[in-house]
């Protein structure tokens, strides 16, 4: 788990795919962290990403660096916990700058049903699978 979070932090930017009207949508993200033993990301309540995961909570996340990439399959679950939101803000200056004055718009999303693969051009290996 820590290996994955460290890789994502090192890349500084990763991509999340969702589905909207049966079509894939991909956008960059910059914040994946481990809180309370789970992966978390965040978004804004008014963003299209939030509307898309309301319709279909399954996402795939990908980060690439120097010939290696991680693909992470997950189901996102909204967590309405002020302590989690505060930890997300304290862990990411961008989030703090944009959401400190509008906490009601910040959405904390836990990644559930996680399966992660470390990949290279000729190899993909499952390196983490969340167990119930």
């Amino acid at each position: 788990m820590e290996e994955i979070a460290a890789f994502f932090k090192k890349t500084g930017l990763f991509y999340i795919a969702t589905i909207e009207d049966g079509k894939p949508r991909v956008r960059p993200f910059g914040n994946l962290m481990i809180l309370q033993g789970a992966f978390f990301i965040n978004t804004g309540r008014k963003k299209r990403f939030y509307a898309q995961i309301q319709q279909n909570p399954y996402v795939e996340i990908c980060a690439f660096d120097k010939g290696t990439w991680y693909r992470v399959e997950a189901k996102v679950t909204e967590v309405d916990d002020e302590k989690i939101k505060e930890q997300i803000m304290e862990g990411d200056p961008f989030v703090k700058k944009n959401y400190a004055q509008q906490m009601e718009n910040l959405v904390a999303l836990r990644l559930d049903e996680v399966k992660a693969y470390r990949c290279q051009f000729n190899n993909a290996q499952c390196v983490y699978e969340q167990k119930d």
Side-chain angles (χ1 to χ4, degrees), residues 40-100:
F40 275 82
I41 59 172
N42 63 275
T43 192
R45 198 167 301 284
K46 299 173 187 172
K47 299 211 176 216
R48 285 179 62 192
F49 175 78
Y50 183 70
Q52 291 161 1
I53 62 170
Q54 296 299 301
Q55 296 298 308
N56 182 345
Y58 292 92
V59 299
E60 186 160 285
I61 304 170
C62 187
F64 179 85
D65 185 55
K66 297 178 183 154
T68 299
W69 64 95
Y70 281 77
R71 286 184 18 252
V72 178
E73 304 168 4
K75 177 182 179 183
V76 292
T77 302
E78 185 172 348
V79 176
D80 190 20
D81 181 324
E82 292 304 314
K83 286 184 181 179
I84 293 283
K85 290 180 183 181
E86 288 172 13
Q87 288 177 297
I88 289 171
M89 277 203 316
E90 291 306 316
D92 188 325
F94 177 82
V95 175
K96 188 171 190 174
K97 176 184 171 198
N98 288 286
Y99 291 99

Side-chain angles (χ1 to χ4, degrees), residues 19-23 25:
I19 298 291
E20 180 180 59
D21 297 328
K23 296 178 183 173
R25 302 290 184 239

